[in-house]
Amino acid sequence: MDGIKYFVVTDKSIRLLLKNQYTFNVESGSTRTEIKHWVELFFDVKVIAMNSHRLPGKGVPIMGHTMHYRRMMITLQPGYYIPPFRTKGT
């Protein structure tokens, strides 16, 4: 689970929960197959689709810049859900 940083909570990610899609920020060096394996193993779910995009780092005037990271949108099979994020409709 070292590759998954945290669950993303935005307006869009909350809307995607109704479609059984979960959004995570992951390490930029992680591959799609690693992330899929970690999610299926840790949460005991079946992943049917994954989309990702790379977000740019931000410049900080004094400290330099922040690291780049990837955002993964993971779609689960119907009937599966990640327990802390279960919605009322499922």
Side-chain angles (χ1 to χ4, degrees):
M1 280 305 285
D2 294 333
I4 298 175
K5 289 183 177 181
Y6 50 87
F7 180 74
V8 177
V9 180
T10 61
D11 290 338
K12 183 176 181 178
S13 67
I14 292 171
R15 283 194 312 260
L16 290 175
L17 287 175
L18 297 174
K19 297 179 182 180
N20 210 19
Q21 295 179 344
Y22 298 85
T23 308
F24 297 96
N25 280 349
V26 298
E27 295 288 335
S28 60
S30 301
T31 63
R32 293 169 64 99
T33 53
E34 287 175 349
I35 300 298
K36 180 179 178 180
H37 177 72
W38 288 333
V39 169
E40 288 182 343
L41 185 66
F42 188 72
F43 296 113
D44 195 29
V45 295
K46 297 291 182 185
V47 176
I48 58 172
M50 296 176 65
N51 294 323
S52 69
H53 64 280
R54 183 177 216 140
L55 299 167
K58 297 179 181 178
V60 180
I62 297 172
M63 304 287 283
H65 68 281
T66 59
M67 298 297 290
H68 298 284
Y69 57 93
R70 290 173 63 187
R71 185 165 286 168
M72 300 289 291
M73 288 161 279
I74 299 170
T75 305
L76 303 180
Q77 283 185 354
Y80 289 95
Y81 63 91
I82 296 177
F85 308 112
R86 184 177 182 189
T87 59
K88 238 182 192 181
T90 58

